[in-house]
Amino acid sequence: MKDYIKYYAGVDIGSVSIKAALVSNRRLIATKLVASGASYKDAAQKVLYSVLVQAGLDAERLSGIVVTGLGSESAPFPARQISDISCQAMGCHYLFPSARTVINIGGQFTKVAKITPQGRVVDFLMSEKCAAGSGRFLQVIARILHVTLENIGPLSLQSREPVEFSTNCAVFAESETVSRIAEGARAEDILAGVHRAMAIKVAMLVKGVKMEPDVVLMGGGGEDAGLVLAIGEALGTRILVPEQPRVSTAYGAACLAELDLAL
Amino acid sequence: MKPASIQLDELYVQRDKHAKELRDSGKKVIGYFCCFVPDEIITAFDMVPYRIQGSQNKAIDQADAYIEPMACPFVRSCFNKALKGEYDFLDGFVAPHSCDTVERMYNIWCQNKPAPFNHLINVPHMMGPSSEKFYRQELDYFVKSLENWTGHNLDTGKLRDAVRLYNERRAVLRALYDLRKSDPPLVLGTEITTVLVAGMGIPAAKHIELVKQFIDEVKGRPLPQTQKLPRIFIWGNELDDIAFIKLVEECGAWVVMDDLCTGTRFFWEDVPETADPLDGIATRYLYTHCPRSNVPQTKTRAGDLENRYSYINDFIKEWVVNGAIFYIVRYCDTCELEGPDLREYLNGMGLPVLMIEDDYSTSTIGQLRTRVQAFLEMIG
């Protein structure tokens, strides 16, 4: 019986982490996430192997693979390549059919797309070569404050007096953070301030594509409760976040492999 | 004799080679910026006009000691080449006040790398009768300054000949663009850019000859694959390297039309043949469709947009375009501020738009791939 079920994989080769998702009939069966490191090829092979092992499948049982993300060119296996904007849209669509606007805050870029009720992209915007609207910004600040990435969100939510950042530039914000520490600002207030500054940047992209609810936040940024709250406040709307925000683009890629759409 | 396509490829790679050969044979070569310096006038003085370009595939490694890195990277790249002595072969340097960066760069350039002849042409920003008079006067100053330097008076007969010669080149280039109208187009976008850039540093007569031969070559070769792909219009400023257009075509599209400083903007419209050829030249160059210029206001938003962009509407319809990509060299205020209005106009026609800001560097091409790919998936 099991032989008649078809399986599809999506592999998202990002700058910070590489993700794989295994689906069958759009149902998520297994996921794997590893740090990208220096060899995207090895890591991509590893995550794909891992989801197959989790499901107890041989590679031959895969009916299709879609590879996406900044490093998709370096996929070490034959796969169809689709842009991460289309993949995140489709992943978002199957996770939240009511979604019309999807935000993806990744390590390198923030991407915002307007989508149709069928999960197709109508318009999109990406943060330019600027770290202030991406996960990299948070990493920089967390490093200065000696806070682990997982603790950024919970700590930020405790803030009572968020620090006001006068710059939207990640490089200047680094020195501004140092000055604020010197002035005695608390870590939670600095983090909440950073979240607000980022949210303003992200909100400008969202407004650029003319936001429509529901709004979904995916990517690593979705794991940061402080950031989710700040973006919701900046946009004045409820933000939906999937259970595993970092693998949702890989999930969308797997769904596209299964749909075999002509894009 | 090598086929024209090979000769054009070689001229595209070694852009100054032919100009240097001409200079060694005794010709004077006049370098200039942008689309507002009439080639006709320089040619009428028996000199070779040379359009100054930068190098998108080389880092800017000297200019930042003189100007801030947040200035236009195209102009910085050109100046960088000058500082390295790569423009030492120029006998003249002419800048129009096309944008503020070029205008100020004139002073910095002349201060650090003066050519034997230097001249700045003031170009008014509003297209209209009073500006025509003003610009006509500026061209008189330009002619006088050339007369003083060369010791020869302008020969009106030669200027008339030059007008006819450049109009012939415009006609030949438009004929080349006609080959992009079919589906699939007979010429690739990368080939078009190669042909245009190759012609920026050689006499028009030679360019005309090469383009004619190239058109014959294209007509004689087998038809390209007939796969249905989106047809793209590119709008922006200086795109003198094929890298970006190559990326778009590699992602699965045909680049079929453009409005670029290195494309239709510099050659599309003819110079009208007037009794005094300088009158026709002034009119033609003043009405160059550069976002640095503005048109008289019509008092309605729709009227203003139509007034500014109806020529693009014609491009879109005649070349059957499915999507527009704005490729803007970073810090180009004029393009960045023109973008939103043009986007509104094109979206109003039902045309999707992708706006890209880039660093005038081929090293960023990889990062742009996602955007281009997603855009093509969206409209495909």
Side-chain angles (χ1 to χ4, degrees):
Chain A
M1 180 61 198
K2 207 177 165 190
D3 283 358
Y4 297 102
I5 302 173
K6 291 196 166 181
Y7 296 94
Y8 300 86
V11 179
D12 177 10
I13 306 182
S15 66
V16 173
S17 61
I18 296 183
K19 291 78 74 174
L22 185 74
V23 305
S24 181
N25 204 13
R26 255 87 82 206
R27 197 165 51 83
L28 192 57
I29 293 175
T31 62
K32 180 69 183 176
L33 181 149
V34 301
S36 305
S39 169
Y40 289 1
K41 278 188 171 57
D42 294 348
Q45 194 71 63
K46 199 166 140 189
V47 290
L48 182 62
Y49 180 70
S50 166
V51 291
L52 289 170
V53 168
Q54 288 176 53
L57 296 174
D58 292 332
E60 299 82 66
R61 284 299 317 280
L62 277 181
S63 299
I65 308 176
V66 163
V67 63
T68 188
L70 199 68
S72 58
E73 306 259 308
S74 53
F77 37 77
R80 185 174 170 202
Q81 198 215 340
I82 297 179
S83 76
D84 45 10
I85 308 226
S86 298
C87 292
Q88 72 171 42
M90 202 49 86
C92 175
H93 167 68
Y94 282 115
L95 293 165
F96 300 99
S98 61
R100 295 295 174 269
T101 307
V102 51
I103 307 167
N104 191 318
I105 300 183
Q108 193 92 331
F109 295 105
T110 292
K111 309 170 195 98
V112 174
K114 267 275 277 293
I115 63 173
T116 65
Q118 292 75 36
R120 298 289 293 253
V121 178
V122 190
D123 197 5
F124 69 93
L125 282 173
M126 267 170 88
S127 56
E128 294 292 331
K129 274 185 287 179
C130 167
S134 76
R136 196 65 75 177
F137 187 31
L138 280 174
Q139 283 185 326
V140 168
I141 304 299
R143 201 191 56 219
I144 302 172
L145 296 174
H146 293 286
V147 176
T148 60
L149 280 177
E150 306 78 66
N151 287 329
I152 291 179
L155 201 54
S156 164
L157 293 177
Q158 291 170 21
S159 164
R160 287 174 200 283
E161 286 175 275
V163 162
E164 191 94 22
F165 274 84
S166 59
T167 175
N168 264 332
C169 169
V171 178
F172 287 118
E174 185 168 356
S175 49
E176 199 168 347
T177 302
V178 173
S179 324
R180 295 310 162 87
I181 296 172
E183 287 163 20
R186 299 155 62 92
E188 57 263 41
D189 292 336
I190 292 173
L191 285 172
V194 168
H195 281 143
R196 284 189 176 188
M198 272 184 79
I200 290 168
K201 268 247 178 283
V202 173
M204 276 193 275
L205 286 179
V206 178
K207 286 172 186 162
V209 297
K210 301 191 179 72
M211 176 184 87
E212 250 183 80
D214 287 344
V215 181
V216 173
L217 175 58
M218 316 198 317
E223 290 183 351
D224 181 342
L227 184 60
V228 176
L229 179 77
I231 292 175
E233 280 174 356
L235 291 172
T237 190
R238 177 179 64 135
I239 307 286
L240 303 172
V241 181
E243 234 169 85
Q244 298 184 65
R246 293 173 79 182
V247 297
S248 39
T249 299
Y251 167 69
C255 292
L256 279 169
E258 181 155 25
L259 289 166
D260 198 22
L261 278 181
L263 279 179
Chain B
M1 196 67 183
K2 290 176 189 165
S5 55
I6 305 283
Q7 292 184 58
L8 288 160
D9 276 342
E10 287 173 359
L11 284 166
Y12 166 82
V13 176
Q14 282 192 290
R15 299 175 192 184
D16 49 9
K17 186 167 174 273
H18 194 68
K20 281 178 177 163
E21 283 165 9
L22 287 169
R23 192 183 186 241
D24 291 344
S25 72
K27 280 266 185 191
K28 283 195 163 59
V29 181
I30 307 294
Y32 68 90
F33 269 121
C34 297
C35 306
F36 293 94
V37 178
D39 289 313
E40 290 86 347
I41 295 176
I42 298 169
T43 305
F45 276 95
D46 289 323
M47 300 189 290
V48 181
Y50 184 94
R51 173 92 172 262
I52 292 173
Q53 301 147 59
S55 319
Q56 273 186 270
N57 54 15
K58 294 218 179 67
I60 296 170
D61 52 6
Q62 298 202 11
D64 291 0
Y66 301 80
I67 39 174
E68 289 299 318
M70 67 269 252
C72 161
F74 162 72
V75 170
R76 274 164 57 229
S77 174
C78 294
F79 182 51
N80 199 66
K81 286 182 76 166
L83 287 172
K84 290 165 93 168
E86 292 174 33
Y87 280 130
D88 285 357
F89 70 92
L90 294 178
D91 297 288
F93 170 63
V94 181
H97 184 178
S98 45
C99 63
D100 292 352
T101 310
V102 167
E103 191 237 9
R104 291 294 140 156
M105 177 44 71
Y106 174 77
N107 298 325
I108 299 172
W109 190 300
C110 292
Q111 179 63 28
N112 293 286
K113 274 286 182 184
F117 170 78
N118 302 284
H119 189 88
L120 178 77
I121 302 178
N122 193 353
V123 188
H125 284 268
M126 184 62 87
M127 299 179 181
S130 60
S131 293
E132 280 180 51
K133 261 189 212 154
F134 181 101
Y135 184 57
R136 173 69 179 73
Q137 184 83 56
E138 280 297 315
L139 290 185
D140 275 340
Y141 295 149
F142 179 42
V143 167
K144 276 224 175 65
S145 143
L146 280 168
E147 284 177 340
N148 286 340
W149 179 59
T150 57
H152 300 290
N153 283 339
L154 175 68
D155 179 334
T156 309
K158 280 188 178 174
L159 187 57
R160 260 191 211 108
D161 290 344
V163 167
R164 281 190 211 109
L165 178 72
Y166 278 89
N167 280 347
E168 188 190 346
R169 179 166 85 150
R170 293 180 180 108
V172 167
L173 291 175
R174 287 194 301 265
L176 177 67
Y177 269 56
D178 278 344
L179 302 178
R180 317 174 84 177
K181 283 182 176 170
S182 60
D183 196 40
L186 302 182
V187 206
L188 290 172
T190 47
E191 291 177 312
I192 296 280
T193 301
T194 304
V195 169
L196 295 176
V197 171
M200 289 178 183
I202 60 176
K206 185 175 166 76
H207 195 216
I208 291 168
E209 205 39 57
L210 284 170
V211 179
K212 278 183 178 166
Q213 287 173 28
F214 179 69
I215 290 175
D216 288 341
E217 251 184 71
V218 169
K219 285 181 175 164
R221 68 189 184 189
L223 289 175
Q225 51 161 323
T226 49
Q227 197 192 343
K228 187 82 191 143
L229 294 174
R231 297 168 63 87
I232 301 296
F233 163 76
I234 296 202
W235 178 87
N237 36 27
E238 296 279 347
L239 199 47
D240 52 23
D241 193 291
I242 59 169
F244 180 71
I245 292 175
K246 193 161 175 235
L247 168 73
V248 175
E249 295 191 320
E250 277 175 359
C251 285
W254 305 113
V255 174
V256 294
M257 199 43 183
D258 71 73
D259 182 19
L260 295 166
C261 306
T262 45
T264 56
R265 195 169 293 150
F266 85 84
F267 75 82
W268 199 254
E269 306 286 343
D270 278 345
V271 170
E273 291 190 36
T274 45
D276 181 343
L278 281 171
D279 290 335
I281 292 173
T283 309
R284 156 63 178 76
Y285 281 87
L286 179 72
Y287 288 92
T288 299
H289 294 293
C290 173
R292 53 79 72 192
S293 293
N294 212 338
V295 294
Q297 305 296 293
T298 64
K299 301 215 163 57
T300 70
R301 173 80 177 154
D304 284 346
L305 292 178
E306 200 53 41
N307 209 2
R308 269 154 80 188
Y309 306 129
S310 60
Y311 71 100
I312 295 182
N313 192 341
D314 296 342
F315 286 168
I316 302 290
K317 287 194 177 128
E318 279 192 53
W319 275 263
V320 201
V321 168
N322 311 116
I325 297 181
F326 295 179
Y327 180 89
I328 299 173
V329 170
R330 192 176 292 270
Y331 309 127
C332 176
D333 294 353
T334 55
C335 277
E336 309 232 18
L337 294 169
E338 187 82 341
D341 281 355
L342 181 57
R343 175 198 283 267
E344 180 186 323
Y345 180 77
L346 295 178
N347 284 345
M349 291 169 60
L351 201 71
V353 172
L354 172 67
M355 185 155 157
I356 283 176
E357 210 192 353
D358 197 22
D359 210 15
Y360 191 73
S361 160
T362 51
S363 67
T364 56
I365 292 297
Q367 296 174 11
L368 301 180
R369 189 179 294 273
T370 309
R371 252 167 267 210
V372 171
Q373 211 184 347
F375 182 67
L376 297 178
E377 286 165 2
M378 185 179 104
I379 65 175

